[in-house]
Amino acid sequence: MVRRLRRSSAAAAAAALLCSVNLSAHRMDEYLQAARIGIEPGRVDVELYLTPGMAVFDSVIAAIDRDRDGIVSAVEKNDYVSAVLGAVTLRIDDRDLPLKTIAATFPELDALRRGQGIIQLRAGAALPALNDGAHELTFRNSHRPDVSVYLANALVPMSGRIAINAQRRDHAQIALAIDFTARSESKPASIAGWFAAAVAIVAVLIGGGHITRNARRFHRAMRHRTATL
Amino acid sequence: MVRLAALTLGILAALTSTPFAQRSQTTAAADATRQIVAAAQAVVATLDESKKARVQFPFDSPQKTRWSNLPSPMYARDGIRLADLTQPQRDAVMKLMSVALSREGYQKALDIMKGDEVLRTQSGGNAGRGGRGPSFGELEYYLAFVGAPSTTTPWTLMFGGHHLGINLTMAGPQATLAPSLPAAQPATFTIEGRTVRPLGDENDKAFVLINALDDKQRAQAIIGSKVADLVLGPTQNGRTIAPEGIRVSTLSAQQQMMVWEIVREWVGISHDAFAEPRMTEIRSHLNDTYFAWSGPITKGSAAYFRVQGPTLHIEYAPQGNVDHIHTIYRDPTNDYGSAIAKK
């Protein structure tokens, strides 16, 4: 009963806040779902930040706090994460990539109620060995299209072996296709390669010495010219 | 005669050489640092012990990233609030901001704060933190020092309210304004017969550029999807998204100039002594800088744009209409002074 009262008074406060803040509309009536996708050799990282606006809080929280006790239990968190990720598909070159949850952070309900809280999900998928060359990773987030706006972006890869070439999306950014190039690790050099490298290093050292000597001559000449001026 | 001419040319070359220009910029930056530190210390001198404790945070504290574009109490800021200060204390704070920012940057900050006040008035006022309503307005701004103001050791000047977040990190003669968030709602208003558009130049210059592109260039610049909000807003630290749009190096010299003039709207908020070297550094990444656009290209429409380079991330994101704008300025290599504070 106390919880119910607390919840209803908090809802009233949020409604009052919403009414008085209508001119300061900070994503009040939408559920912002921002996805960032990182492609690295051997894995794909998906980061989803979910921010329910105050006006859609009740609708979103109903799917999280299912027993309506005002507390989001560990089971309810896991179930919600599963529901969100169940609506996300990830494919590499037309092959499905199953996503696994890595971490999930839920803010306090009050923060969510104020439109300030962000549910942060991190998920990952193993990326099979890829041939060198062009590939396409597709991401689709179909969670709550009735109230949501979406952002989907590829992150700059940390590895030099992956290069993002282009990103294509539908108008609402529910779906994102990332064109990228994969490059395998450079192969160990052959004996002939090592020999060629050694020759090149010696050549550079000899050339470098020659350049250094020339530079010294140049500086001596400049000092002489300055003195005569 | 020939020797005299050569000597003259040599002297001219030496004067205009990069090391000379760099020395001059470093001297100007060191002077600016001294002035800003003095102004910050002047603010502290006006405060009683309790406010001194509230304004000061350790440099490596979480306070550095605690800022937002949300109004109070949706977001609870720390530091000293203008509304809680005496007039001389407020004057000292605004004097500090006028010294820390360029003339144009300070005016932009004032206009944004005034916009918050207009919004507050249009909303029928607010009840402040003790009441139920959201709190914003020109006095709902907070100042905090993260690290003690110093000419030698790193520190950050944080000044923020509903539609403005300034984070100026200084390390000796070096400084960065990244990340900062100039925003505006309403985006156009009138005060004493003067029409004020805090982010009007940013908007107008971007529309001039997108309309100066030919069809082929425009097709490369335009992202074919709706961008509903800032991608790397206040909480999105430490991330770099893959660049999109048209590569600036493929534009004509005149179009490139338009891009740099857009960039200057954000870079130029900081003191001139820091803005000029920063512009030079950003321009040096011409080949890896991109301009992207989402939305209609007819002036007066709500359209999103982004300028992105290896050390630059600028976004301009209308919040559903032309009268409510959020923007962000970042340096992925030096947000919160991560690079300069190490040196």
Side-chain angles (χ1 to χ4, degrees):
Chain A
M1 183 67 176
V2 173
R3 272 184 190 150
R4 211 171 284 159
L5 275 174
R6 203 178 290 155
R7 204 167 56 230
S8 61
S9 62
L17 192 61
L18 179 58
C19 291
S20 54
V21 82
N22 60 349
L23 280 166
S24 180
H26 280 92
R27 204 145 312 285
M28 296 298 171
D29 53 358
E30 291 164 327
Y31 190 14
L32 176 64
Q33 301 192 39
R36 285 171 291 271
I37 293 106
I39 307 173
E40 300 294 341
R43 71 176 204 275
V44 177
D45 301 317
V46 174
E47 188 180 57
L48 258 180
Y49 274 32
L50 311 173
T51 314
M54 288 197 296
V56 297
F57 168 80
D58 283 341
S59 164
V60 172
I61 202 66
I64 301 174
D65 180 21
R66 291 194 317 277
D67 62 6
R68 303 255 174 176
D69 67 350
I71 297 167
V72 181
S73 66
V75 172
E76 287 171 332
K77 285 178 186 174
N78 284 338
D79 289 350
Y80 188 66
V81 170
S82 297
V84 173
L85 293 183
V88 172
T89 56
L90 196 64
R91 292 169 72 81
I92 178 77
D93 300 333
D94 293 329
R95 276 178 288 171
D96 283 334
L97 291 180
L99 268 172
K100 285 186 182 164
T101 309
I102 294 173
T105 309
F106 283 71
E108 295 294 321
L109 279 187
D110 274 349
L112 279 176
R113 194 174 279 118
R114 290 194 302 267
Q116 183 199 336
I118 302 173
I119 300 167
Q120 302 178 17
L121 307 186
R122 277 184 60 221
L127 192 60
L130 299 173
N131 296 330
D132 284 10
H135 297 274
E136 182 192 68
L137 183 96
T138 56
F139 166 88
R140 184 177 184 85
N141 178 6
S142 305
H143 180 60
R144 296 301 304 267
D146 53 328
V147 290
S148 298
V149 289
Y150 301 87
L151 293 171
N153 284 276
L155 294 171
V156 172
M158 287 180 281
S159 167
R161 291 163 52 197
I162 304 287
I164 307 295
N165 301 322
Q167 300 177 74
R168 290 170 282 111
R169 308 173 180 83
D170 64 334
H171 183 69
Q173 300 210 26
I174 287 174
L176 167 68
I178 304 168
D179 297 331
F180 68 97
T181 306
R183 186 173 54 81
S184 53
E185 278 181 294
S186 51
K187 291 172 186 162
S190 62
I191 292 172
W194 282 112
F195 179 74
V199 169
I201 289 166
V202 170
V204 165
L205 288 174
I206 294 169
H210 181 67
I211 289 166
T212 308
R213 279 194 299 279
N214 279 349
R216 283 199 200 107
R217 276 189 210 122
F218 175 75
H219 284 297
R220 272 201 299 273
M222 286 306 291
R223 275 205 300 274
H224 176 70
R225 275 180 64 81
T226 309
T228 54
L229 281 169
Chain B
M1 188 65 176
V2 173
R3 282 179 182 174
L4 186 62
L7 181 62
T8 308
L9 282 173
I11 291 169
L12 280 173
L15 284 173
T16 54
S17 68
T18 305
F20 178 81
Q22 280 175 349
R23 271 197 303 277
S24 168
Q25 283 179 345
T26 304
T27 306
D31 286 345
T33 300
R34 274 191 292 275
Q35 290 166 20
I36 296 167
V37 169
Q41 288 167 342
V43 170
V44 175
T46 68
L47 304 177
D48 59 26
E49 290 307 314
S50 113
K51 286 194 174 76
K52 276 181 189 168
R54 256 191 285 158
V55 80
Q56 190 63 62
F57 297 82
F59 185 67
D60 289 321
S61 68
Q63 170 64 17
K64 200 181 289 182
T65 57
R66 293 200 68 254
W67 58 281
S68 173
N69 58 284
L70 293 169
S72 308
M74 287 172 74
Y75 192 87
R77 291 173 176 80
D78 286 317
I80 50 171
R81 186 173 70 140
L82 289 187
D84 298 330
L85 303 182
T86 63
Q87 192 58 51
Q89 289 170 336
R90 275 182 217 159
D91 291 345
V93 172
M94 296 318 291
K95 172 72 179 170
L96 165 62
M97 296 312 296
S98 73
V99 172
L101 306 180
S102 66
R103 191 171 58 82
E104 296 81 6
Y106 180 59
Q107 187 58 52
K108 197 182 301 255
L110 289 179
D111 289 346
I112 290 170
M113 294 169 73
K114 192 58 79 179
D116 276 3
E117 187 64 19
V118 169
L119 182 67
R120 186 182 74 83
T121 312
Q122 289 176 352
S123 314
N126 59 58
R129 274 187 155 177
R132 296 189 310 173
S135 202
F136 50 86
E138 62 187 335
L139 294 182
E140 191 63 27
Y141 272 78
Y142 290 73
L143 174 74
F145 298 137
V146 186
S150 164
T151 56
T152 53
T153 55
W155 64 288
T156 300
L157 185 168
M158 295 181 78
F159 182 76
H162 187 9
H163 282 109
L164 179 66
I166 294 283
N167 300 296
L168 176 67
T169 300
M170 313 190 66
Q174 293 184 292
T176 176
L177 200 63
S180 285
L181 184 144
Q185 186 191 19
T188 305
F189 54 91
T190 305
I191 288 183
E192 295 167 356
R194 182 174 68 101
T195 300
V196 181
R197 299 172 66 222
L199 302 175
D201 288 342
E202 289 83 341
N203 178 79
D204 297 350
K205 288 178 179 179
F207 272 100
V208 168
L209 172 59
I210 193 70
N211 282 289
L213 303 183
D214 63 30
D215 290 345
K216 192 177 162 197
Q217 290 173 321
R218 207 174 290 145
Q220 291 176 63
I222 293 178
I223 303 171
S225 58
K226 178 186 171 191
V227 184
D229 207 340
L230 295 173
V231 177
L232 296 183
T235 56
Q236 308 302 311
N237 298 309
R239 295 171 177 84
T240 307
I241 55 171
E244 293 180 271
I246 189 166
R247 199 185 281 260
V248 173
S249 59
T250 66
L251 302 180
S252 70
Q254 192 182 6
Q255 291 165 336
Q256 287 178 14
M257 193 61 74
M258 291 176 184
V259 174
W260 305 137
E261 284 307 307
I262 293 168
V263 171
R264 189 180 288 279
E265 287 296 328
W266 280 267
V267 173
I269 292 172
S270 65
H271 193 291
D272 296 340
F274 306 126
E276 286 313 314
R278 173 72 172 135
M279 282 302 300
T280 304
E281 188 261 323
I282 289 168
R283 280 194 295 257
S284 74
H285 298 296
L286 172 72
N287 286 336
D288 295 311
T289 302
Y290 293 78
F291 175 73
W293 184 276
S294 167
I297 62 166
T298 310
K299 196 178 170 189
S301 311
Y304 165 98
F305 65 86
R306 184 191 305 159
V307 186
Q308 198 182 351
T311 66
L312 177 71
H313 181 96
I314 288 173
E315 290 181 83
Y316 178 101
Q319 303 296 290
N321 61 68
V322 293
D323 211 31
H324 187 183
I325 310 297
H326 287 179
T327 83
I328 189 87
Y329 167 77
R330 287 185 177 276
D331 177 349
T333 65
N334 196 25
D335 270 359
Y336 305 103
S338 59
I340 58 175
K342 276 185 197 162
K343 290 178 183 172

